[in-house]
Amino acid sequence: MTETRPPLPPFTRETAIQKVRGAEDGWNSCDPHRVSLVYSPDSKWRNRAEFVSGREEIVGFLTRKWAKELDYRLIKELWAFTDNRIAVRFAYEWHDDSGNWFRSYGNENWEFNENGLMVRRYACINDLPIREADRKFHWDRSGPRPADHPGLSDLDL
């Protein structure tokens, strides 16, 4: 059986935005197995200086990530798109096990196969230490970002 993850390429502005929000919601679940299923079995990543190949390595990477980046909250925004590629910008807030807060900013370039699975993900990310009082991402961790919570442009990020 062939896996598919709608919306499928070629993307329109509307379907690219759907794909971005779906990715945001998935990552905000902090469930490595759930997140891994939107990537092709042989997906290739570059995340900062780490290179990841395939779902098993994706699960391992995300498990390590979310063990370190606590109370993780992410907002993604569409930057550009074409037939089977999407570029996003994002920011996420998290703290370490010592209570130090960070806002991480970045860009991702995604490439999808005809079934809507991501085959390539290239991420560049920078971490900015912030005070807890300077956090901007406030929603219940039990679910995705609420529809009425401001996005990156609304927050002037």
Side-chain angles (χ1 to χ4, degrees):
M1 185 168 140
T2 303
E3 296 177 85
T4 60
R5 286 290 174 179
L8 307 178
F11 297 113
T12 64
R13 179 168 178 72
E14 178 181 303
T15 61
I17 289 171
Q18 289 173 359
K19 203 69 153 174
V20 171
R21 186 58 191 247
E24 175 187 311
D25 291 348
W27 279 64
N28 275 324
S29 76
C30 295
D31 180 339
H33 295 284
R34 173 184 168 188
V35 172
S36 74
L37 296 177
V38 303
Y39 299 94
S40 68
D42 59 350
S43 185
K44 304 277 189 220
W45 285 19
R46 182 186 48 74
N47 194 90
R48 301 179 194 247
E50 190 168 347
F51 294 82
V52 178
S53 296
R55 286 183 178 161
E56 186 175 325
E57 288 186 20
I58 289 169
V59 168
F61 171 86
L62 293 173
T63 300
R64 290 189 310 278
K65 172 186 181 63
W66 290 320
K68 175 187 170 204
E69 297 177 355
L70 307 174
D71 289 321
Y72 177 95
R73 287 176 180 81
L74 165 73
I75 299 176
K76 291 184 181 281
E77 186 173 280
L78 177 67
W79 189 253
F81 71 96
T82 188
D83 297 332
N84 69 330
R85 292 182 176 169
I86 296 175
V88 299
R89 65 189 199 96
F90 63 87
Y92 61 91
E93 293 179 346
W94 58 282
H95 68 84
D96 63 18
D97 59 2
S98 297
N100 300 303
W101 280 91
F102 300 87
R103 186 174 305 119
S104 300
Y105 296 94
N107 299 290
E108 292 177 329
N109 296 311
W110 302 340
E111 182 179 341
F112 296 87
N113 66 19
E114 63 278 356
N115 296 322
L117 296 170
M118 195 180 302
V119 295
R120 286 182 181 55
R121 174 185 173 268
Y122 302 110
C124 298
I125 307 166
N126 300 297
D127 301 319
L128 174 69
I130 61 172
R131 297 178 306 151
E132 185 173 4
D134 294 331
R135 292 179 52 224
K136 296 180 182 272
F137 300 176
H138 301 280
W139 64 85
D140 184 5
R141 283 292 313 133
S142 66
R145 176 173 56 104
D148 62 349
H149 189 285
L152 294 179
S153 292
D154 300 321
L155 293 167
D156 200 26
L157 297 175

